[in-house]
Amino acid sequence: MRQPPKTRSQISIFKASLCVGVGLSALMAAPVSAANAQEEEAEEAPRRLNAVVVEATRREGTTVQDVPVSVTAFDAALLEDTGVARLNDIEQIAPSIRVSQTESAASGTSIAIRGIGTGSNNPGFEPAVGVAIDGVYRTRTGIALSELPELAGVEVLRGPQGTLFGRNTSAGVVSINTAKPQFDPNAYIEVGAGNYGMYTVEASTTGGITENLAGRFDIRKRARDGYIDDVNSDRDLNNLDRFLMRGQLLWENNDNASFRLIGDYGQTNEDCCIGVNLVQGPTAAAVSLASSFAGLQGFVNDDPDELKVALSPNRDISDDVEEWGVSGEYKNRFGTMNFTSVTAYRDWQATRGQDVDFSGIDRAYRDGTGIKDKVFTQEFRLQDTMGNVDWLVGAFFMNEELQYTDTIQTGTQANLYTDLVSAGATANPLAPSGFQLTGSVPGIPSLFVTLPNGAPALRIAPGVPAGLAPFLIPGLGDGDGQNSDDYQVTTNAAALFTHNEIFLTDKLTATLGARLNYEEKDLEYDIFSSAPTCDFFFTPNGQSVLAQLSAIGATQLALLACNPAINSEYNGTDSDSFDETQVTGTAKLAYEFTPDFMSYISYARGFKSGGYNLDRSGFDSVLFGGDGAQPSDLQFDAETVDSYELGWKTTFNAIDATLNGALFYQQVSDFQENFFTGTNFRVINSDVESYGLELDSSIQPVAGLTLQAGYAYTKAEREDDVLTPRGDGTFELLARGGEQLTLIPEHVVTASGTYLYDFTPDLRGLFHLNARYNSEHIASAATAGIADNDAFALIGGRIGLQAADGSWEFSIFGENITDEYYNLSAFVVPEQTGTIAVYPGLPTMYGAEFKVNF
């Protein structure tokens, strides 16, 4: 535990990066600054997990063992050995964190800590786990998924961090710090190759430009072929194709003032992300038959671990991102006070194409769905010591302009699929005499007709059984549906905060922190869908059809013909807004029993703002018992977390080891979840509790060998059943109370070992192994008991040779080297009752890398 400082001689660091050729001139020699000298000393220090300097309390010079915070930190060496290149990779070495990915890497990735996280398959949802890169808050998890340059360290802060870190950190924070410019000239080039056509090229240069100015330039390209094969085309899907360019400038002035400027540009151009079939439901025959008419497979009749899928070859599968940003961090010392300012602007744009029926039938697709996120953030902090109080005050402001354009449209076989399903569903009373044959597919009864000119029309079916009127339903054309559903959400967030450490005695320290949060959100939307079938249902004949379908228990046919995602009932423009004020904070007591053992108790309150579900299907439909579209249908409430924790930090100097742990209990009110209710996607706020035990340890039993391990027991469950009304006075069960939350194993164990061995005075060997064990868990609430993951372990490793002077290094590596199959998530395929698909995890990846340092 830190002692009350009498004086503080902090080293201020000015950092700057702009994506230009700044790094080329950085090779000019200049004196090594005090800050860089400290970095070099840190690099030569023993590699130990809990000796890493962290910023968990926004004070400089503190290590994991100093702070009464449940934090796991990783230094640059472990991150490199483990192969951490993206945010997704961190869960391999951090047991309490879970990273899941669904239909899009850019907009469908979410993070959970201690079981608490928010699904992100809709840009209206904001994460419960905040991600900060070099002190800059990222508004969406997907925005933090681009390639990362050389890392200096990663901190995973568990539990609510609602005082010091940005906003929406009700579950925790992942803080990523990248390597900054150095005044000592240095450069490297690294190339790699591996299976699935993988290759990487990375280069960096840094050095002094003037006596007070240093620069750094990083460039990285990584690509890999896809590992999922589409049997209906020659496409391989779930590939990687990512590019990053990043520049920095660092100015320092006599250790009192510093400024760091960072600029970056990145691109992602991938065919991602694909769900493979697990279970074929009752509608599978209709999918397969319709696909066969086009000479295609509807499904692949293999196990998911064969990594094959059947899709429509004429539909684009893409997940492209273009982003850039600039940030400036200014530090100065005014007397004894330390001032910090972090200013940032980011522009992030993603474009997606998707086959949303996840099969070979051309039923529906996304074409050019786009997300644009422009964010400005500003944070100020002022810190000093007065007597026995180390105080910190600050302010934060954010302006975000989020634009979302969705484009779910119907394909060439939209009508045929409904015909095939309806023929089976109404075979006894109506088919085939209840329908007139289309003629284009002999023997298939049709609900629809299309005139020769392609315009939808009505068909009157002869031979209708007694008591039933004819079906009069217009069809859907190729390209009907959302012509462009445009949403814009403007968010302004402001906060004032304070975090104070009060040294009551030499051994007892109290921490008191508070944050006043204010947020306002403004929603505007302009949505239009061309859906003749939906329009028809509002006519007298259409109302008669709905009544008849209800009478024979075939209401689902109306949903097939008028899917909520394209329901033209909702067309129009509207706006809405709301604001909210919330106080969060923390209170802690930490006691240093001995210089090597500290324990603490804490309470923290976290807050995640409410928002809008940016999905047409979130409206209430008059057709199916609702009160019509209104903006309030899309709004959901804020989420709050009350967290209680008992933790300890232990150091065993005699054996060079540490053992830290925490017992925690969290009460989550209005937990935000997105459910498919049968007629639409609705955000439902429910109450959840999460409790468990976490352990982190490290030891260096002999010179050159570092062992690290972590364990997390997490029980995260809803307190009550999640129900939705059916419209007939009954309720449908969406999720069961007392059931473990999706994708959260109760037991997780991580372990890693790194051994550096000197073969000769000039040649060193590197041996690294890491593993993560997950106990069994469900992949989604809707598929519980069907698509669950059994217990599994993921093992990775690296073996290398390197020059003792660090001039070169060659290594071979492997990820998931036992080729363990597991599901990243699972879902019930829309409009295909009983059909379940899963997003598979990465198969074995391996390769070799060669790095030269100059």
Side-chain angles (χ1 to χ4, degrees):
M1 186 171 66
R2 293 191 306 117
Q3 297 299 316
K6 295 179 181 178
T7 61
R8 285 188 177 273
S9 58
Q10 296 180 327
I11 296 178
S12 301
I13 300 173
F14 168 75
K15 309 175 178 181
S17 112
L18 190 58
C19 288
V20 291
V22 169
L24 298 178
S25 57
L27 290 174
M28 297 173 58
V32 179
S33 69
N36 292 119
Q38 285 190 348
E39 289 178 355
E40 291 177 357
E41 292 173 4
E43 291 174 359
E44 296 173 359
R47 299 172 62 186
R48 192 174 69 200
L49 175 69
N50 293 321
V52 178
V53 175
V54 297
E55 298 181 353
T57 62
R58 296 300 196 190
R59 273 83 169 177
E60 294 185 356
T62 57
T63 71
V64 174
Q65 299 304 94
D66 296 327
V67 295
V69 178
S70 185
V71 54
T72 304
F74 309 98
D75 62 12
L78 177 61
L79 295 170
E80 183 176 0
D81 293 342
T82 310
V84 173
R86 298 177 298 159
L87 185 60
N88 314 53
D89 302 325
I90 294 174
E91 71 170 1
Q92 184 66 10
I93 49 179
S96 291
I97 194 170
R98 176 73 181 191
V99 182
S100 59
Q101 181 176 300
T102 56
E103 60 192 38
S104 166
S107 59
T109 301
S110 62
I111 305 177
I113 292 179
R114 292 179 171 175
I116 306 304
T118 302
S120 60
N121 59 342
N122 180 313
F125 301 119
E126 298 178 86
V129 176
V131 177
I133 300 179
D134 291 321
V136 177
Y137 170 73
R138 303 297 175 97
T139 56
R140 299 294 188 279
T141 301
I143 297 176
L145 286 181
S146 60
E147 290 296 289
L148 296 171
E150 183 179 3
L151 298 178
V154 171
E155 301 170 34
V156 178
L157 285 72
R158 304 185 288 266
Q161 306 296 322
T163 304
L164 289 173
F165 285 87
R167 56 187 289 273
N168 289 352
T169 57
S170 55
V173 168
V174 177
S175 178
I176 300 172
N177 296 304
T178 67
K180 57 193 176 187
Q182 299 179 16
F183 284 86
D184 214 16
N186 184 42
Y188 73 84
I189 295 177
E190 183 176 6
V191 295
N195 63 334
Y196 290 100
M198 184 273 290
Y199 71 88
T200 60
V201 179
E202 183 175 353
S204 176
T205 181
T206 185
I209 301 173
T210 69
E211 183 178 358
N212 300 108
L213 185 65
R216 182 185 181 98
F217 183 74
D218 293 271
I219 189 167
R220 180 183 178 96
K221 171 71 174 181
R222 186 160 68 125
R224 188 203 66 221
D225 295 337
Y227 55 87
I228 296 180
D229 295 325
D230 178 13
V231 299
N232 288 333
S233 69
D234 60 355
R235 296 180 293 184
D236 52 72
L237 307 168
N238 283 26
N239 66 317
L240 286 180
D241 186 356
R242 301 187 172 198
F243 171 77
L244 171 70
M245 181 170 61
R246 196 171 194 257
Q248 302 184 60
L249 289 173
L250 171 62
W251 174 81
E252 295 180 344
N253 182 24
N254 299 325
D255 296 339
N256 288 325
S258 67
F259 185 73
R260 182 185 185 188
L261 180 69
I262 305 174
D264 65 88
Y265 173 82
Q267 279 189 339
T268 298
N269 298 286
E270 298 171 353
D271 297 330
C272 186
C273 300
I274 305 304
V276 300
N277 181 254
L278 176 68
V279 176
Q280 296 180 24
T283 61
V287 172
S288 297
L289 183 57
S291 301
S292 69
F293 293 148
L296 304 172
Q297 286 184 234
F299 299 103
V300 175
N301 294 313
D302 284 331
D303 292 334
D305 59 9
E306 294 296 324
L307 300 177
K308 294 181 179 179
V309 68
L311 299 174
S312 302
N314 59 326
R315 300 308 175 194
D316 179 45
I317 307 295
S318 62
D319 201 22
D320 301 334
V321 173
E322 184 174 21
E323 61 177 316
W324 64 273
V326 61
S327 67
E329 181 185 62
Y330 174 70
K331 294 184 177 182
N332 206 343
R333 187 176 180 86
F334 303 102
T336 61
M337 291 189 297
N338 300 295
F339 174 76
T340 302
S341 170
V342 181
T343 308
Y345 178 81
R346 296 208 62 82
D347 186 300
W348 183 86
Q349 301 183 29
T351 305
R352 293 174 52 203
Q354 185 184 24
D355 188 350
V356 296
D357 53 62
F358 300 93
S359 65
I361 190 175
D362 190 21
R363 165 69 173 169
Y365 59 95
R366 271 190 169 102
D367 183 19
T369 291
I371 308 171
K372 296 181 180 180
D373 194 66
K374 299 179 180 181
V375 183
F376 170 81
T377 57
Q378 174 65 60
E379 181 168 338
F380 299 107
R381 298 193 300 272
L382 192 63
Q383 179 269 331
D384 197 2
T385 300
M386 181 179 297
N388 66 334
V389 179
D390 183 337
W391 58 266
L392 182 152
V393 296
F396 173 83
F397 173 76
M398 184 198 77
N399 171 262
E400 178 187 29
E401 296 285 346
L402 176 69
Q403 293 179 297
Y404 178 48
T405 300
D406 205 5
T407 55
I408 296 178
Q409 299 177 336
T410 56
T412 58
Q413 295 181 310
N415 295 335
L416 177 59
Y417 176 67
T418 305
D419 290 344
L420 291 168
V421 173
S422 64
T426 63
N428 291 332
L430 296 177
S433 61
F435 302 90
Q436 185 173 354
L437 302 185
T438 64
S440 60
V441 183
I444 303 301
S446 177
L447 290 175
F448 307 102
V449 66
T450 299
L451 298 178
N453 63 3
L458 304 184
R459 178 180 298 279
I460 300 177
V464 175
L468 293 178
F471 281 76
L472 309 172
I473 305 179
L476 295 165
D478 182 16
D480 276 339
Q482 299 173 3
N483 291 19
S484 64
D485 280 10
D486 295 322
Y487 305 87
Q488 179 167 313
V489 178
T490 301
T491 302
N492 287 303
L496 299 174
F497 57 91
T498 181
H499 186 272
N500 309 287
E501 298 177 359
I502 306 169
F503 303 99
L504 302 175
T505 71
D506 289 344
K507 295 180 179 295
L508 181 63
T509 301
T511 300
L512 296 175
R515 187 182 186 99
L516 176 63
N517 304 275
Y518 173 78
E519 295 213 9
E520 58 181 24
K521 284 186 169 71
D522 296 302
L523 167 70
E524 296 181 1
Y525 62 80
D526 183 352
I527 59 179
F528 178 78
S529 175
S530 172
T533 310
C534 300
D535 297 338
F536 165 74
F537 282 136
F538 279 95
T539 67
N541 284 339
Q543 293 294 305
S544 174
V545 169
L546 282 175
Q548 294 173 64
L549 290 175
S550 177
I552 63 173
T555 305
Q556 288 298 316
L557 289 181
L559 285 171
L560 284 180
C562 181
N563 187 291
I566 64 169
N567 192 340
S568 55
E569 170 191 347
Y570 309 138
N571 287 354
T573 62
D574 211 331
S575 62
D576 193 43
S577 64
F578 72 92
D579 62 79
E580 50 195 345
T581 302
Q582 184 75 229
V583 176
T584 59
T586 188
K588 301 181 183 184
L589 277 176
Y591 189 79
E592 189 178 273
F593 290 89
T594 72
D596 299 326
F597 178 70
M598 179 259 286
S599 184
Y600 64 91
I601 57 173
S602 72
Y603 164 78
R605 182 172 180 84
F607 160 72
K608 183 159 80 75
S609 60
Y612 292 100
N613 175 16
L614 305 185
D615 187 339
R616 170 190 290 260
S617 72
F619 291 119
D620 285 330
S621 172
V622 171
L623 289 176
F624 303 105
D627 58 0
Q630 45 200 322
S632 59
D633 294 339
L634 304 181
Q635 186 180 341
F636 52 87
D637 294 334
E639 176 180 295
T640 58
V641 181
D642 292 293
S643 176
Y644 306 86
E645 186 173 318
L646 170 63
W648 62 91
K649 305 288 180 76
T650 310
T651 302
F652 303 94
N653 290 310
I655 57 174
D656 199 7
T658 63
L659 176 62
N660 300 338
L663 292 165
F664 66 90
Y665 174 81
Q666 299 184 148
Q667 177 68 46
V668 186
S669 300
D670 293 321
F671 181 60
Q672 299 167 358
E673 286 188 280
N674 197 27
F675 290 97
F676 182 64
T677 66
T679 59
N680 63 357
F681 281 94
R682 181 172 293 276
V683 179
I684 296 178
N685 293 98
S686 61
D687 293 335
V688 168
E689 65 175 8
S690 167
Y691 56 90
L693 166 69
E694 298 163 333
L695 297 172
D696 287 315
S697 64
S698 68
I699 187 171
Q700 288 186 303
V702 297
L705 177 62
T706 302
L707 302 176
Q708 299 163 333
Y711 169 71
Y713 169 74
T714 306
K715 191 69 175 176
E717 54 192 18
R718 300 173 188 85
E719 294 187 0
D720 301 301
D721 292 345
V722 179
L723 305 172
T724 185
R726 289 192 175 98
D728 58 0
T730 63
F731 292 85
E732 179 181 354
L733 178 66
L734 298 178
R736 195 175 300 280
E739 185 178 79
Q740 184 85 341
L741 295 184
T742 297
L743 294 171
I744 306 301
E746 287 191 19
H747 303 277
V748 176
V749 179
T750 60
S752 68
T754 303
Y755 184 47
L756 297 174
Y757 179 76
D758 292 329
F759 291 110
T760 71
D762 299 320
L763 185 64
R764 175 182 297 167
L766 166 71
F767 305 91
H768 172 82
L769 195 67
N770 62 77
R772 177 185 174 108
Y773 166 83
N774 301 273
S775 63
E776 62 183 10
H777 55 277
I778 64 173
S780 81
T783 65
I786 302 174
D788 300 349
N789 277 321
D790 294 330
F792 66 93
L794 299 177
I795 300 174
R798 182 178 294 266
I799 299 175
L801 290 174
Q802 52 190 229
D805 63 1
S807 59
W808 61 268
E809 178 180 347
F810 173 79
S811 61
I812 60 174
F813 65 89
E815 302 175 40
N816 190 11
I817 57 181
T818 60
D819 202 23
E820 189 74 32
Y821 177 84
Y822 59 100
N823 298 322
L824 292 171
S825 60
F827 61 100
V828 177
V829 179
E831 300 189 322
Q832 299 179 36
T833 304
T835 295
I836 295 172
V838 295
Y839 292 101
L842 283 172
T844 297
M845 297 288 172
Y846 57 84
E849 294 176 338
F850 182 66
K851 183 177 183 179
V852 178
N853 291 298
F854 303 97

